[in-house]
Amino acid sequence: MTAPLMTPCSLVELARKTREGARQLAGLTATEKNLALEAIAKSLEKAAPDIVAANQADCEAATAAGIAKPLYHRLKLDENKLKANITGVRDVQKLPDPVGDIQIHRELDEGLILKRVTCPLGVLGVIFEARPEAAIQISTLAIKSGNGVILKGGKEAIRSCEAIVTAIRDGLSNTAVSPDVVQLLTTREETVELLKLDKYVDLIIPRGSNSFVRFVQENTNIPVLGHADGVCHLYLDRAADLEKAIAITVDAKTQYPAACNAIETLLVHEDWARQNLPAVARALQEKGVKLLGDRKTCELLDIAEATDADWSTEYSDLILAIKQVSNADEAIAHINTYGSKHTDAIVTENTDSARIFLNQVDAAGVYHNCSTRFADGFRYGFGAEVGISTQQMPPRGPVGLEGLITYKYQVTGNGHIAANYSGDNGREFTHRDL
């Protein structure tokens, strides 16, 4: 029997049902959750032609509406991309269950035992733009971590998201997990109302522009986890190996330029640049990258001059701003001034320079001699991610299962009362770890 995508009820009632489904989900075993994930994978495979067709319709409508090229690349979900995401569902099955882990097991006194045990957050509200496969990744991680989820995709991906969520709910309909744990909203008005449901929703995760994330943060009392712009940097140090520098720069910019972990600014040590930057520039231009540069770089390369705004711009396209610096300290200062605290990397054979860079750059991901494109939950072995957080407090970086749980303290006694531990003759605590 097909599970209905949406029931004719108010958003409050929908959220209440999601919360009740999540409460039941929180009590299921790892086996029951994994069986539900396998059912989702099979349902997505069965519905693949419908999902791809729905996405094609979204892409055609978006093209007619003049969608920007970076957003179009994010929107497109072909058969191969869908297969990869279904593989991701099964990868999440293989991960350890994050719920029920005993972090602290301590005797407070004889017969009085304390445990700190991991548990789900409850209900997640996740708002994302033109990336329909996010619905698969987020739903999978939510179920594995025992959470319900209310999804709101971008208007340009509405057909794709409806087809995906229908398949997910169909898959859940014959499992121990209620289809109510995965819901989909489709209008902007519902987004605004979702932000008011602090009684039912425990965490909001926005994935979109900087202005959108700020809007969410300013219009809800629900905790918000997310990142806005992905202004990532690569610094080619004075001791950079040219072959590594070219390979890493080209990959970090061109492997998928619409990704939030693609670099937008290339910083180059001025001594290294004089001899080596032209070779790096040629490799980038052969891949179709438009280069902008500071005055020193424009004197070395025949390219247009960058403006101040370019240093804080996320192009999400084959455009790269280049700036020369006199030392690693200047590179670090530039990154900490203009970066978005997402992912930044250094190419160098000098281990001291690498250590200083890794310690002093303020970002969720800091890399040495590798591409920023590795900043991804799947590549980190998380199975998938609900998003990337650039906030200082954890979770930070790609957020997988561990970012979707909290913990509770459980204390078991045998008639113990606090009054017996006060006063001159009060009992003393043993505080013995078990």
mmCIF file of all heavy atoms in Angstrom, residues 2 43 45 133 145 150 225 246 253 270 305 347 352 372 404 427:
data_model
loop_
_atom_site.group_PDB
_atom_site.id
_atom_site.type_symbol
_atom_site.label_atom_id
_atom_site.label_comp_id
_atom_site.label_asym_id
_atom_site.label_seq_id
_atom_site.Cartn_x
_atom_site.Cartn_y
_atom_site.Cartn_z
ATOM 1 N N THR A 2 0.585 2.196 -0.889
ATOM 2 C CA THR A 2 1.383 3.401 -0.987
ATOM 3 C C THR A 2 1.072 4.353 0.158
ATOM 4 O O THR A 2 -0.084 4.648 0.442
ATOM 5 C CB THR A 2 1.109 4.122 -2.318
ATOM 6 O OG1 THR A 2 1.460 3.243 -3.383
ATOM 7 C CG2 THR A 2 1.920 5.398 -2.425
ATOM 8 N N SER A 43 12.986 0.827 -2.479
ATOM 9 C CA SER A 43 11.905 1.655 -2.986
ATOM 10 C C SER A 43 12.427 2.733 -3.928
ATOM 11 O O SER A 43 11.809 3.030 -4.959
ATOM 12 C CB SER A 43 11.139 2.285 -1.822
ATOM 13 O OG SER A 43 10.019 3.013 -2.283
ATOM 14 N N GLU A 45 15.156 2.471 -5.740
ATOM 15 C CA GLU A 45 15.536 1.772 -6.969
ATOM 16 C C GLU A 45 14.317 1.530 -7.852
ATOM 17 O O GLU A 45 14.364 1.737 -9.076
ATOM 18 C CB GLU A 45 16.216 0.448 -6.617
ATOM 19 C CG GLU A 45 17.616 0.613 -6.045
ATOM 20 C CD GLU A 45 18.217 -0.675 -5.525
ATOM 21 O OE1 GLU A 45 17.442 -1.606 -5.192
ATOM 22 O OE2 GLU A 45 19.460 -0.756 -5.440
ATOM 23 N N GLU A 133 18.872 15.458 -4.085
ATOM 24 C CA GLU A 133 19.406 14.265 -3.420
ATOM 25 C C GLU A 133 19.622 14.479 -1.931
ATOM 26 O O GLU A 133 19.762 13.523 -1.161
ATOM 27 C CB GLU A 133 20.714 13.805 -4.073
ATOM 28 C CG GLU A 133 21.907 14.708 -3.856
ATOM 29 C CD GLU A 133 22.055 15.757 -4.942
ATOM 30 O OE1 GLU A 133 21.051 16.070 -5.615
ATOM 31 O OE2 GLU A 133 23.178 16.262 -5.107
ATOM 32 N N SER A 145 19.751 7.792 13.055
ATOM 33 C CA SER A 145 20.015 8.423 14.352
ATOM 34 C C SER A 145 18.759 8.553 15.206
ATOM 35 O O SER A 145 18.794 9.147 16.283
ATOM 36 C CB SER A 145 20.650 9.806 14.156
ATOM 37 O OG SER A 145 19.816 10.634 13.362
ATOM 38 N N ILE A 150 11.402 17.002 8.931
ATOM 39 C CA ILE A 150 10.495 17.752 8.062
ATOM 40 C C ILE A 150 11.364 18.465 7.033
ATOM 41 O O ILE A 150 12.186 19.321 7.389
ATOM 42 C CB ILE A 150 9.656 18.761 8.861
ATOM 43 C CG1 ILE A 150 8.818 18.032 9.926
ATOM 44 C CG2 ILE A 150 8.741 19.546 7.926
ATOM 45 C CD1 ILE A 150 8.068 18.959 10.864
ATOM 46 N N LEU A 225 21.512 25.168 12.941
ATOM 47 C CA LEU A 225 22.832 24.649 12.600
ATOM 48 C C LEU A 225 22.994 24.749 11.094
ATOM 49 O O LEU A 225 22.136 24.263 10.344
ATOM 50 C CB LEU A 225 22.965 23.187 13.043
ATOM 51 C CG LEU A 225 24.302 22.480 12.812
ATOM 52 C CD1 LEU A 225 24.496 21.393 13.856
ATOM 53 C CD2 LEU A 225 24.392 21.865 11.417
ATOM 54 N N ILE A 246 49.724 22.166 -8.930
ATOM 55 C CA ILE A 246 48.866 22.207 -10.116
ATOM 56 C C ILE A 246 47.698 21.232 -9.975
ATOM 57 O O ILE A 246 46.539 21.585 -10.193
ATOM 58 C CB ILE A 246 49.680 21.892 -11.384
ATOM 59 C CG1 ILE A 246 50.651 23.039 -11.683
ATOM 60 C CG2 ILE A 246 48.751 21.660 -12.576
ATOM 61 C CD1 ILE A 246 51.587 22.768 -12.841
ATOM 62 N N LYS A 253 39.292 23.562 -7.810
ATOM 63 C CA LYS A 253 38.466 24.555 -8.504
ATOM 64 C C LYS A 253 37.516 23.927 -9.508
ATOM 65 O O LYS A 253 36.349 24.337 -9.620
ATOM 66 C CB LYS A 253 39.362 25.562 -9.232
ATOM 67 C CG LYS A 253 38.597 26.638 -10.008
ATOM 68 C CD LYS A 253 37.874 27.642 -9.124
ATOM 69 C CE LYS A 253 36.394 27.516 -9.065
ATOM 70 N NZ LYS A 253 35.733 28.564 -8.275
ATOM 71 N N GLU A 270 54.647 35.154 -3.057
ATOM 72 C CA GLU A 270 55.155 35.959 -4.155
ATOM 73 C C GLU A 270 56.462 35.426 -4.732
ATOM 74 O O GLU A 270 56.705 35.532 -5.943
ATOM 75 C CB GLU A 270 55.323 37.416 -3.703
ATOM 76 C CG GLU A 270 56.258 37.616 -2.529
ATOM 77 C CD GLU A 270 56.239 39.030 -1.989
ATOM 78 O OE1 GLU A 270 55.355 39.808 -2.400
ATOM 79 O OE2 GLU A 270 57.103 39.357 -1.147
ATOM 80 N N GLU A 305 41.751 42.461 -13.404
ATOM 81 C CA GLU A 305 42.059 42.746 -12.012
ATOM 82 C C GLU A 305 40.841 42.464 -11.125
ATOM 83 O O GLU A 305 39.707 42.783 -11.477
ATOM 84 C CB GLU A 305 42.490 44.195 -11.837
ATOM 85 C CG GLU A 305 43.000 44.509 -10.428
ATOM 86 C CD GLU A 305 43.688 45.859 -10.330
ATOM 87 O OE1 GLU A 305 43.915 46.489 -11.382
ATOM 88 O OE2 GLU A 305 43.999 46.272 -9.190
ATOM 89 N N VAL A 347 49.424 24.075 0.304
ATOM 90 C CA VAL A 347 50.325 23.154 -0.386
ATOM 91 C C VAL A 347 51.743 23.577 -0.030
ATOM 92 O O VAL A 347 52.157 24.705 -0.335
ATOM 93 C CB VAL A 347 50.116 23.191 -1.915
ATOM 94 C CG1 VAL A 347 51.131 22.270 -2.612
ATOM 95 C CG2 VAL A 347 48.699 22.792 -2.274
ATOM 96 N N ASP A 352 56.740 22.822 9.147
ATOM 97 C CA ASP A 352 56.478 23.886 10.115
ATOM 98 C C ASP A 352 55.417 24.850 9.586
ATOM 99 O O ASP A 352 54.505 25.262 10.330
ATOM 100 C CB ASP A 352 57.772 24.655 10.420
ATOM 101 C CG ASP A 352 58.733 23.855 11.291
ATOM 102 O OD1 ASP A 352 58.266 22.930 11.996
ATOM 103 O OD2 ASP A 352 59.938 24.146 11.257
ATOM 104 N N THR A 372 40.477 20.686 -1.286
ATOM 105 C CA THR A 372 39.365 21.028 -0.392
ATOM 106 C C THR A 372 38.110 20.228 -0.717
ATOM 107 O O THR A 372 37.186 20.168 0.095
ATOM 108 C CB THR A 372 39.018 22.528 -0.503
ATOM 109 O OG1 THR A 372 38.721 22.838 -1.882
ATOM 110 C CG2 THR A 372 40.179 23.391 -0.025
ATOM 111 N N LEU A 404 23.656 14.509 15.021
ATOM 112 C CA LEU A 404 22.198 14.438 15.142
ATOM 113 C C LEU A 404 21.752 13.752 16.428
ATOM 114 O O LEU A 404 20.596 13.364 16.561
ATOM 115 C CB LEU A 404 21.622 13.684 13.936
ATOM 116 C CG LEU A 404 21.933 14.311 12.575
ATOM 117 C CD1 LEU A 404 21.317 13.488 11.466
ATOM 118 C CD2 LEU A 404 21.449 15.757 12.509
ATOM 119 N N ARG A 427 26.720 10.871 54.115
ATOM 120 C CA ARG A 427 27.499 9.890 53.374
ATOM 121 C C ARG A 427 28.352 10.593 52.321
ATOM 122 O O ARG A 427 28.007 11.670 51.829
ATOM 123 C CB ARG A 427 26.583 8.885 52.683
ATOM 124 C CG ARG A 427 25.866 7.918 53.636
ATOM 125 C CD ARG A 427 24.960 6.963 52.854
ATOM 126 N NE ARG A 427 25.711 6.161 51.905
ATOM 127 C CZ ARG A 427 26.280 4.984 52.202
ATOM 128 N NH1 ARG A 427 26.166 4.487 53.437
ATOM 129 N NH2 ARG A 427 26.935 4.303 51.283
#
